[in-house]
Amino acid sequence: RYLGAGVGRVLQVWDCDVDQKKTFAPMRLHVQHGSAHDDLTTMTWTKCGRFLACGSRDLAVHVYSRDKIEGFKGHALTGHRDKVILSQFADPRKEAGENAARRDLYTLSQDGKLLRWTFKPEGVEGEEGDLSRGSWLLVGKHFVERQGARITSCSLNPKTQTMVLGFQDGRFQLLQMPDFESLHTLSVSRDALTTAVVNPASDLVAVGCAKLGQLLVWNWRSESYVYKQQGHFYDVLSCDFSKDGSQVCTGSADGKVKVWSVRTGLCFVTFSEHKMPVTCVRFVPSNHAVCSCSYDGTVRLFDLVRYRNFRTLRSKDPCQFECLAVDPSGEIVAAGTKDTFQVHLWSVKTGQELDVFSGHEGPVSDLSFDQRGTTLATSSWDRTVQLWDTFTGKGRKETLAHHH
């Protein structure tokens, strides 16, 4: 029903339980708190939803109430020397010999200082989950071994009190609180982990790296990957659907060719043989292979059954390929160049170069075979479209000039 939002140094609580049929604004401002001296960096709710804890750049953690409580202005918990990146309530639990459930709050700063706070009620015990009458006591202090890397992401499972930390160097660490026991440590990336979370059962850890486009799910008990995905690192320059529409292949400036399942949206194979940006990708008509060209001077065919590069096509003279096309039979591949303004043809079966068409006065921008595969149309930056006879080898048949 309630939504908490940090706006600068102000915490706003919005009431979402509004009749949308009679109200223009679907939410109304319920309460706002502004006792923090700098921007808020993190926020968490108690299990009952009556109180919130917010970390701030002023190095303190502020505990606020959802509703206005007479005489309660909030708590400010200090002790950190760097920006607070985690403030998380643990689920209430009873210890041996205690009558009331203990309410713990964990706070973590970017320098690795981890503090554990426990709420001590004052006077008569109030309602369940009431944090307005009493004080917070510091009962635990720990320092995370960072090995010189900043903590870039963190998360705590409030039920099992399992904490996962992501570091700038691509490592993550799993800790069991409140004993501060290190359960597992693993390096999974070459760059900073921007998100890290542990599942409710605390056996799976999900980490993500925004810069590399990585998403990994790791089972730390069996020490195995459950899920592993990585997008393209640079711009996607070309894509193509398979003939049955079930797959999509993409080529990117990172030099990789990826094939994705349309139904699941997942990449199931990545080819990294190209050394420079992949400028064009095409499925062969049988859908059993993908053809790609690159600025590295190669045209490659990848087998989608055995997942391997089974054919590499090159021209006699070094050049940069800009576009390609596969004839309807899947037996001939044509590729246009950016620097020599030529069109090269190869046989897929033998890998031999069949012909070279010259005639354009600018980079070849696109290629297309007709339905019979006997005529190849090529377009160029010289504002012409040229038709070539690929069946008899007579070369250019016609030139279509464009003046705009």
Side-chain angles (χ1 to χ4, degrees):
R1 173 179 175 177
Y2 294 96
L3 172 67
V7 183
R9 66 182 188 88
V10 177
L11 172 67
Q12 296 180 346
V13 179
W14 294 81
D15 187 355
C16 304
D17 190 16
V18 179
D19 188 356
Q20 298 185 7
K21 296 181 180 179
K22 299 180 180 180
T23 307
F24 175 75
M27 299 186 297
R28 65 178 179 85
L29 185 61
H30 181 67
V31 69
Q32 66 178 5
H33 303 279
S35 62
H37 298 288
D38 208 338
D39 293 345
L40 303 180
T41 57
T42 179
M43 180 182 62
T44 182
W45 290 83
T46 57
K47 188 176 183 180
C48 62
R50 296 181 56 204
F51 293 86
L52 304 92
C54 300
S56 171
R57 290 182 180 272
D58 63 7
L59 312 184
V61 176
H62 304 268
V63 180
Y64 300 115
S65 61
R66 182 196 65 196
D67 306 313
K68 292 183 178 180
I69 301 177
E70 185 178 356
F72 178 68
K73 297 183 179 180
H75 300 284
L77 311 180
T78 60
H80 289 289
R81 296 184 179 181
D82 203 348
K83 180 180 70 173
V84 179
I85 58 176
L86 173 70
S87 59
Q88 178 69 55
F89 288 104
D91 288 352
R93 56 189 178 86
K94 287 187 178 182
E95 299 288 347
E98 295 182 354
N99 296 325
R102 173 178 292 181
R103 299 157 190 160
D104 290 342
L105 172 64
Y106 291 94
T107 62
L108 175 68
S109 56
Q110 203 165 40
D111 60 359
K113 189 175 184 179
L114 177 62
L115 303 180
R116 174 182 166 223
W117 308 81
T118 296
F119 184 75
K120 181 181 180 182
E122 293 181 357
V124 182
E125 181 72 19
E127 297 182 30
E128 182 69 23
D130 186 8
L131 303 180
S132 62
R133 301 177 183 179
S135 59
W136 288 93
L137 302 178
L138 180 60
V139 296
K141 182 188 299 185
H142 306 280
F143 292 91
V144 178
E145 181 62 38
R146 299 182 293 122
Q147 300 180 10
R150 292 188 301 108
I151 299 176
T152 54
S153 57
C154 54
S155 177
L156 175 73
N157 185 325
K159 184 176 181 180
T160 62
Q161 297 193 22
T162 304
M163 179 180 293
V164 58
L165 306 174
F167 296 91
Q168 185 183 17
D169 58 2
R171 289 181 299 114
F172 77 84
Q173 184 178 12
L174 207 61
L175 299 172
Q176 182 61 55
M177 306 304 294
D179 301 327
F180 196 68
E181 177 187 359
S182 179
L183 301 178
H184 194 75
T185 302
L186 184 68
S187 178
V188 294
S189 179
R190 295 180 286 112
D191 218 288
L193 300 181
T194 50
T195 182
V197 66
V198 60
N199 73 325
S202 296
D203 58 345
L204 300 179
V205 178
V207 295
C209 174
K211 186 174 182 180
L212 300 179
Q214 288 181 324
L215 175 60
L216 307 172
V217 179
W218 176 260
N219 188 324
W220 67 272
R221 298 186 187 276
S222 63
E223 297 188 356
S224 60
Y225 284 109
V226 176
Y227 181 86
K228 186 176 182 181
Q229 283 290 299
Q230 180 174 353
H232 287 292
F233 187 65
Y234 293 120
D235 298 342
V236 176
L237 303 180
S238 178
C239 63
D240 188 36
F241 267 103
S242 61
K243 299 304 178 183
D244 58 2
S246 63
Q247 299 171 355
V248 174
C249 63
T250 57
S252 170
D254 60 8
K256 294 181 180 179
V257 176
K258 290 179 176 288
V259 186
W260 310 75
S261 169
V262 173
R263 184 179 62 85
T264 63
L266 303 179
C267 172
F268 60 87
V269 63
T270 301
F271 301 108
S272 307
E273 280 77 7
H274 284 295
K275 305 303 179 183
M276 294 183 69
V278 178
T279 53
C280 190
V281 289
R282 292 291 183 266
F283 276 98
V284 299
S286 63
N287 291 341
H288 292 154
V290 171
C291 187
S292 65
C293 66
S294 169
Y295 285 155
D296 63 6
T298 63
V299 175
R300 297 178 182 270
L301 288 102
F302 301 100
D303 188 352
L304 295 183
V305 178
R306 299 182 180 180
Y307 300 135
R308 64 187 182 91
N309 177 203
F310 70 92
R311 188 79 70 208
T312 301
L313 311 175
R314 293 182 175 88
S315 63
K316 296 179 180 179
D317 299 321
C319 58
Q320 293 183 321
F321 292 110
E322 181 73 27
C323 53
L324 66 84
V326 183
D327 80 319
S329 66
E331 296 181 356
I332 298 177
V333 173
T337 63
K338 179 182 180 181
D339 47 2
T340 62
F341 315 151
Q342 296 176 329
V343 178
H344 298 260
L345 276 73
W346 294 272
S347 168
V348 174
K349 291 184 178 179
T350 64
Q352 293 182 352
E353 190 174 44
L354 302 178
D355 208 341
V356 178
F357 296 150
S358 300
H360 282 295
E361 298 177 357
V364 181
S365 57
D366 201 6
L367 307 172
S368 180
F369 281 96
D370 68 350
Q371 294 183 352
R372 294 180 300 172
T374 59
T375 302
L376 175 67
T378 63
S379 62
S380 171
W381 290 12
D382 61 9
R383 295 186 296 182
T384 64
V385 173
Q386 299 192 13
L387 304 180
W388 309 84
D389 188 344
T390 59
F391 184 73
T392 61
K394 293 182 179 180
R396 181 167 50 191
K397 295 170 56 177
E398 188 176 357
T399 299
L400 309 176
H402 294 69
H403 304 287
H404 298 284

